[in-house]
Amino acid sequence: MNSRFPRIASDSTEIHIQGGNQVCDVAKQAAGAVALQEQKILDTEDLLELCIRTEEYCSAFKKFEFFQIVDATDNFSENRNVGCGGFATIYKEPLQGQLPNGLMVAIKRMDVYATVFDFSSEFLLARLQHTNLIRLLGWCIHEKERILVYDFMHKGNLHWHIWETLVHLILDKRNGSLLDWSKRLNIIKGLADGLVYLHKQSMLWIVHRDLKPQNILLDHDMNPKITDFGSARTLSSDVAEERTSSVVGTSGYKAPEYTSRGIYSLKTDVFSFGVMALMIISGRKNTIMEQQGDSVGTLVRDAWQLWNDGRLHELVDPILGGDGFEPAEVMRYAQVALLCAQEDPTDRPTMSDVVALLNFESISLLPDPKQPSDLIKGGAASDKLCTYVSQSSRTIDITITSSAPMSTRVHIIVEPET
């Protein structure tokens, strides 16, 4: 463990969902039934037994009948489809429908390519109850159908609020749900609290492995909820490392050691948190320039350079207009994010450390983030979406590049209205 970051202690047709605030206190032996080894795949009978056993342990986790799911989704109508990904399709149940008390829920239907493990990994959520984690309400297994039911988050995901809103503002001048500075800080704090719970307070040492803006949902009050636990794994201790031959996750948010060697630990999530915090502050994406030997991404590198030049306050998303935040506060949050996004996992703080560091009043108490390793000169440019935000002119410059012919490339520069 890195000595610079000392350990910081942390203090039926009708279904009735109850125990919403109850914490499911399940023994570790029971948790082991869900914390499967990657190589082990349960058959349907074993999975059904797991569902029933989990329901016995957690009173808030209930079985839904298949006809209820079919009625609620209008037989899985495209009109109820609100998203796809991760071997599943998500459906939204309307406020007045077939499910209990008109509860608004999201229904996750696993597709034919999903393994039973993809399904059972999500069962970790049945045991976890925290204000910054999505709540898993129940399950349904019917023939080949494997379905999970969650709370529905009305404000959508973080990716939309940070990125899609910006695109709408650029292209058609519509007013989006702009995240002001206080909301952004609240999201960063909420994510940190949720990860502390996963890594330490749940006593299961859970590593999410796929933290990204699309997997952060927002409730009515814009509080963040970590979701999509299909890739989550439990560890034997809070300092354990495991290796996998099947690396999951999204480029730009995956830790370097996980991307290159398949090694994951709690510090894997810490890296992803650091990148997301920088993205929330800046409104920028993090592009990995693979051909140039990049392991942390353009956003992390640019943020480190601003920190080194004493200009870290310039990282703030210009769409905020320069109001509503203190430069010292920006520098503290951004510097903590840089500490989290360091290449070597031993240089990263734990999430308990992060919460403590965010509460420091002076950045002079913070360690210095190490400089990212040099890029390979002359490497090919990355064929990915790149974003650059000019801080001085308040010009939003988006360049979309690909391996397609030059005629298909787009370059948009839009000056803000005066």
Side-chain angles (χ1 to χ4, degrees):
M1 302 295 294
N2 190 343
S3 60
R4 293 188 305 161
F5 298 107
R7 289 286 181 140
I8 300 174
S10 40
D11 305 313
S12 218
T13 53
E14 180 180 279
I15 303 171
H16 180 60
I17 301 296
Q18 57 183 345
N21 295 320
Q22 179 181 356
V23 175
C24 296
D25 186 13
V26 182
K28 285 189 180 180
Q29 304 91 290
V34 177
L36 307 171
Q37 296 298 322
E38 288 190 77
Q39 295 81 5
K40 182 178 180 181
I41 302 298
L42 293 176
D43 61 28
T44 302
E45 289 185 2
D46 289 335
L47 181 58
L48 183 60
E49 181 182 349
L50 176 59
C51 292
I52 295 172
R53 189 164 62 249
T54 305
E55 187 178 348
E56 292 174 352
Y57 285 124
C58 301
S59 62
F61 186 66
K62 297 296 183 181
K63 178 182 178 181
F64 287 77
E65 300 296 341
F66 186 63
F67 77 87
Q68 293 178 287
I69 302 295
V70 171
D71 287 346
T73 61
D74 193 18
N75 197 20
F76 301 106
S77 167
E78 286 297 317
N79 294 331
R80 301 282 174 84
N81 188 334
V82 294
C84 298
F87 301 114
T89 303
I90 311 299
Y91 297 87
K92 181 180 72 171
E93 151 65 8
L95 190 59
Q96 299 299 325
Q98 303 295 322
L99 298 183
N101 302 323
L103 180 67
M104 181 78 83
V105 299
I107 295 171
K108 186 172 185 177
R109 184 192 193 191
M110 310 301 286
D111 67 27
V112 295
Y113 299 105
T115 66
V116 179
F117 184 77
D118 294 320
F119 182 88
S120 59
S121 293
E122 293 275 0
F123 273 49
L124 287 169
L125 275 172
R127 262 177 295 274
L128 306 176
Q129 303 252 344
H130 187 273
T131 186
N132 297 118
L133 302 183
I134 196 70
R135 192 158 60 110
L136 178 60
L137 302 176
W139 61 280
C140 175
I141 296 178
H142 177 77
E143 298 179 350
K144 294 184 178 181
E145 296 282 0
R146 302 189 299 274
I147 295 168
L148 294 173
V149 180
Y150 303 82
D151 269 341
F152 182 76
M153 294 294 107
H154 296 75
K155 295 295 186 179
N157 64 50
L158 179 60
H159 177 271
W160 190 91
H161 285 274
I162 293 291
W163 183 245
E164 299 298 337
T165 300
L166 173 61
V167 172
H168 289 317
L169 287 170
I170 294 172
L171 297 180
D172 57 18
K173 307 298 184 181
R174 288 195 304 231
N175 290 323
S177 300
L178 180 63
L179 286 177
D180 61 25
W181 179 248
S182 65
K183 290 188 178 73
R184 296 185 191 219
L185 289 194
N186 182 65
I187 291 171
I188 293 173
K189 292 176 182 177
L191 291 178
D193 289 341
L195 288 172
V196 168
Y197 177 82
L198 288 177
H199 291 181
K200 187 171 186 178
Q201 295 171 353
S202 70
M203 301 305 293
L204 295 176
W205 301 298
I206 298 168
V207 53
H208 187 282
R209 299 204 309 172
D210 194 18
L211 291 170
K212 58 184 178 181
Q214 292 91 333
N215 287 341
I216 307 301
L217 302 180
L218 302 170
D219 66 12
H220 271 302
D221 299 318
M222 302 300 287
N223 295 310
K225 309 281 184 177
I226 301 172
T227 188
D228 198 346
F229 280 70
S231 301
R233 299 293 182 270
T234 58
L235 299 171
S236 59
S237 74
D238 60 347
V239 294
E241 289 184 348
E242 299 287 349
R243 186 188 294 270
T244 178
S245 59
S246 178
V247 175
V248 298
T250 302
S251 178
Y253 300 96
K254 292 185 292 186
E257 71 279 3
Y258 182 51
T259 300
S260 62
R261 293 177 288 148
I263 295 175
Y264 63 90
S265 66
L266 298 182
K267 294 297 185 71
T268 304
D269 286 349
V270 175
F271 180 89
S272 301
F273 168 83
V275 174
M276 282 200 296
L278 291 174
M279 183 214 67
I280 292 168
I281 292 169
S282 67
R284 290 180 53 186
K285 292 185 177 181
N286 189 41
T287 302
I288 302 293
M289 297 180 289
E290 296 177 2
Q291 291 88 344
Q292 294 178 259
D294 189 11
S295 62
V296 296
T298 54
L299 175 57
V300 176
R301 291 178 178 280
D302 291 349
W304 186 89
Q305 192 61 56
L306 287 173
W307 170 81
N308 191 56
D309 295 342
R311 299 185 293 120
L312 198 49
H313 60 279
E314 296 181 15
L315 187 67
V316 177
D317 192 341
I319 202 171
L320 295 177
D323 297 324
F325 57 86
E326 295 292 333
E329 193 172 47
V330 173
M331 289 186 285
R332 183 169 72 253
Y333 274 74
Q335 187 167 335
V336 171
L338 278 172
L339 291 170
C340 293
Q342 296 186 102
E343 289 170 283
D344 189 336
T346 61
D347 291 330
R348 301 170 202 153
T350 67
M351 288 310 304
S352 296
D353 297 334
V354 168
V355 171
L357 292 172
L358 290 177
N359 291 325
F360 285 174
E361 294 184 358
S362 172
I363 60 172
S364 63
L365 299 174
L366 299 179
D368 292 344
K370 292 183 178 179
Q371 181 178 4
S373 58
D374 292 336
L375 296 176
I376 300 172
K377 293 183 179 180
S382 177
D383 292 338
K384 296 185 179 180
L385 177 65
C386 304
T387 63
Y388 171 75
V389 181
S390 171
Q391 307 296 330
S392 59
S393 66
R394 303 296 184 191
T395 298
I396 301 172
D397 181 346
I398 297 181
T399 304
I400 303 175
T401 62
S402 70
S403 56
M406 183 65 70
S407 60
T408 66
R409 300 184 180 184
V410 180
H411 186 70
I412 306 173
I413 302 178
V414 179
E415 292 285 356
E417 295 179 348
T418 58

